[in-house]
Amino acid sequence: MTDFIDIIEALGAYPGIEDASAFGSYVKGRNVYKDSLLLADGILFMVNKTDPFTKELVAITDEPHLLAGLATNTSIHTGKHMMARCPMNVANAYWFMARYKNLGPKSMKDHPVSVGLGDRLGLVTPGHVASVRKTSAFPVFAQQSIRELNLTGRTFKDVLADAFWGAFRAGWREGFGADGDHLKTEEEVKYALDSGFSMITLDCSNHIGSERIGGVRAKPLSIKAGGTYKLTDGTVMAFSDNEIRNYTAIYQNAIEFTSAIYHDLLVGCGRKVDFELSIDETGTPTDPKAHYFVAKQLVDEGVPLTSLAPRFIGEFQKGIDYIGDIARFGEDFVLHQAIADTFGYKLSVHSGSDKFSIYPSVAELSKGRFHLKTAGTNWLEALRVVMSANPELFAQMYSYAKEHLDEAKAYYKVDVDKAYVPDAIGIGSFDRPNVRQMMHITYGLLLSAKTAAGEPLFRTRLYRCLRENEDLLGRTVEGHIDNHLKALGLIKS
Ligand code: ZN
């Protein structure tokens, strides 16, 4: 308990502290994360590493009442100063985000470029911070789908708290987005909103394609057969009777569902929430006319979208580059972009990790206004670290993944076949597409695997290894995201 006494005493010498970095010299030699130092409203905060696996928040103030509500492990008073050592848990993260609104989730609306990062393990936000810092893009550090929550055994609050602490420790003070990704029901949207998320990605795939059964629309369609509709780039959209019937049958339920979610839940939730509509999880690419049909009706029903994710031409498989014709992707993208521009939202590119060959087109054709969701491959980068830091653990995880590949394929659509995946790999084979895809989709099985005695088979050792090697993990993830941001022209190389 005495190791921070000199910091506290030094506070006496800095009655008018304005810059927390003035304390840099006092934290040298301790395991304090220098970037975490924050002086706010009379409290000096810092993150201290107590052992390779544990971190704590240290708060120092001469007005102890300011710390009311913050859970503390221990506290001491010397003279007029109080120092509290606090767990970096979910409750304390929410204490922070309620008190210092600029540090937590916020809307991305005013930022032309935004990048969804996501972190299945809750360990890689500092690496994301290091990369995003080199750009003016707005980061969405917290981004998970319900599927990911179920497969990793986490809650939305866990996800947001982990992202918050990661950002806090790395000195990110500009706020970030928190995206409840691919939410499909009213309950899931409520769950994300109640957890403080700043963005809702509504996946209405369950309402698309089903022939509209019964019921009469309360309002007439805002698009008429024979009518022509001009986009801001001059393109004219015209709809035949047949097309209107067809799009109504496919999309009307989804439009009504989206409108109800917006009006019932997002309006009046007391804060600005970004609303993204995802129609990308469908069997075929989204016809631009269908995109227009959906967007126009939503706008006419008073639903302002922040972004919309169509299913673009080509294949966006997890963990590997785009599969398809890049020129055709570009032609398709331009049409969707013109619609997005007409209605004032951004296009959102999903499954956007590792799609290096199309990034230059996305950056150019969107005229620098887009949302990109890169997500799960941070898990692969974490595994890359395990492979070099603990090859034995990696080898065990690899064989388990191969053994259970077919189970994982029930959750994710990828073209990876057990027969073509090697039984064991060396470091040079990690980037083989089938290896990446296999390891990418088996994360849930690997994290939840148990021994005969019911103990975690890999989870504990995996977290231990990654915490022990957090610098390497941070650098690896930073490099991986840097590659994305460079290809997008956001980091000049
Ligand atoms: Zn998606």
Side-chain angles (χ1 to χ4, degrees):
M1 274 314 286
T2 56
D3 41 352
F4 287 93
I5 294 284
D6 54 344
I7 298 180
I8 297 173
E9 283 168 352
L11 276 166
Y14 286 84
I17 318 150
E18 254 140 34
D19 178 9
S21 66
F23 291 89
S25 62
Y26 295 97
V27 297
K28 253 191 216 141
R30 294 190 181 82
N31 286 319
V32 166
Y33 293 85
K34 228 174 127 263
D35 293 334
S36 71
L37 281 167
L38 171 71
L39 183 74
D41 304 339
I43 312 170
L44 176 66
F45 296 103
M46 65 193 85
V47 175
N48 180 47
K49 192 174 185 173
T50 50
D51 65 51
F53 314 107
T54 321
K55 296 173 184 52
E56 64 178 8
L57 176 78
V58 177
I60 302 168
T61 181
D62 53 12
E63 295 181 76
H65 68 94
L66 293 178
L67 301 182
L70 188 68
T72 57
N73 288 331
T74 49
S75 61
I76 53 167
H77 299 258
T78 67
K80 62 178 195 137
H81 297 301
M82 175 202 182
M83 182 190 76
R85 303 172 74 154
C86 316
M88 290 168 69
N89 58 18
V90 172
N92 279 351
Y94 278 78
W95 180 89
F96 255 96
M97 293 186 283
R99 191 187 169 100
Y100 304 106
K101 296 243 178 340
N102 54 323
L103 299 182
K106 67 176 190 186
S107 164
M108 66 178 190
K109 221 162 217 157
D110 301 331
H111 300 263
V113 175
S114 43
V115 184
L117 294 152
D119 175 8
R120 290 172 178 171
L121 292 162
L123 297 174
V124 305
T125 299
H128 290 157
V129 168
S131 184
V132 167
R133 228 184 222 137
K134 299 165 194 163
T135 76
S136 58
F138 178 79
V140 178
F141 291 138
Q143 172 196 286
Q144 297 282 268
S145 63
I146 299 288
R147 175 172 63 184
E148 286 172 310
L149 294 184
N150 291 337
L151 290 173
T152 55
R154 300 165 84 208
T155 65
F156 271 138
K157 285 194 172 180
D158 293 332
V159 168
L160 180 47
D162 285 338
F164 169 79
W165 286 125
F168 185 86
R169 186 187 110 200
W172 182 264
R173 305 290 182 244
E174 291 160 59
F176 57 87
D179 179 8
D181 198 9
H182 278 281
L183 306 181
K184 294 186 176 174
T185 65
E186 194 176 309
E187 288 67 39
E188 292 176 1
V189 173
K190 269 191 204 144
Y191 175 25
L193 289 174
D194 291 347
S195 306
F197 276 50
S198 60
M199 174 170 175
I200 297 298
T201 297
L202 187 68
D203 175 340
C204 51
S205 52
N206 290 347
H207 303 266
I208 294 178
S210 49
E211 190 73 38
R212 194 172 155 72
I213 304 161
V216 181
R217 266 186 61 77
K219 280 177 253 166
L221 284 180
S222 58
I223 296 187
K224 305 265 180 276
T228 53
Y229 303 89
K230 207 168 178 184
L231 306 184
T232 46
D233 72 342
T235 306
V236 174
M237 295 254 155
F239 294 84
S240 69
D241 241 345
N242 214 13
E243 283 171 328
I244 297 272
R245 247 196 316 277
N246 198 13
Y247 295 142
T248 304
I250 298 172
Y251 289 105
Q252 194 56 42
N253 285 341
I255 291 165
E256 286 173 23
F257 173 66
T258 304
S259 178
I261 291 283
Y262 176 76
H263 290 292
D264 297 348
L265 299 179
L266 270 70
V267 173
C269 78
R271 55 184 205 273
K272 205 162 135 191
V273 173
D274 296 324
F275 193 34
E276 173 165 313
L277 178 64
S278 107
I279 51 175
D280 65 310
E281 302 234 330
T282 52
T284 50
T286 310
D287 173 355
K289 269 194 187 177
H291 174 178
Y292 184 88
F293 179 86
V294 171
K296 169 96 170 100
Q297 283 202 70
L298 285 175
V299 168
D300 290 343
E301 292 194 19
V303 181
L305 297 175
T306 313
S307 44
L308 183 144
R311 179 165 165 200
F312 295 104
I313 278 181
E315 285 206 42
F316 288 73
Q317 290 195 19
K318 307 279 180 183
I320 56 170
D321 203 343
Y322 175 75
I323 303 172
D325 180 335
I326 295 168
R328 277 197 69 205
F329 169 80
E331 288 160 19
D332 182 52
F333 191 92
V334 164
L335 282 169
H336 288 296
Q337 183 65 47
I339 298 166
D341 287 343
T342 301
F343 295 114
Y345 51 78
K346 296 193 261 193
L347 289 181
S348 177
V349 180
H350 282 205
S351 298
S353 300
D354 306 285
K355 304 296 176 287
F356 295 104
S357 62
I358 55 161
Y359 292 153
S361 311
V362 169
E364 189 199 324
L365 302 173
S366 69
K367 295 167 257 76
R369 256 177 67 81
F370 60 86
H371 182 63
L372 179 82
K373 292 198 186 190
T374 76
T377 50
N378 298 304
W379 155 259
L380 287 178
E381 296 311 303
L383 290 183
R384 195 192 296 281
V385 169
V386 176
M387 196 180 192
S388 68
N390 188 343
E392 197 192 316
L393 173 60
F394 179 83
Q396 290 170 15
M397 290 175 74
Y398 183 90
S399 353
Y400 188 91
K402 180 163 181 187
E403 206 177 306
H404 296 268
L405 177 58
D406 291 334
E407 287 163 54
K409 280 166 75 177
Y411 297 98
Y412 287 96
K413 186 195 159 292
V414 291
D415 284 341
V416 51
D417 192 326
K418 221 173 181 167
Y420 301 104
V421 181
D423 286 333
I425 58 162
I427 220 127
S429 307
F430 189 79
D431 286 321
R432 283 177 56 159
N434 54 5
V435 167
R436 283 179 73 80
Q437 290 198 296
M438 176 177 87
M439 297 314 285
H440 184 272
I441 65 167
T442 47
Y443 68 96
L445 295 168
L446 289 164
L447 286 169
S448 60
K450 299 272 190 298
T451 63
E455 298 294 321
L457 184 54
F458 304 116
R459 193 180 183 118
T460 311
R461 284 184 292 160
L462 174 71
Y463 270 89
R464 214 183 151 81
C465 171
L466 294 172
R467 289 202 165 103
E468 250 171 339
N469 293 281
E470 70 178 11
D471 290 343
L472 178 60
L473 178 64
R475 284 197 308 276
T476 305
V477 168
E478 177 188 354
H480 176 67
I481 299 300
D482 278 1
N483 291 339
H484 288 74
L485 301 179
K486 279 177 194 161
L488 286 161
L490 300 173
I491 296 179
K492 305 290 171 217
S493 49

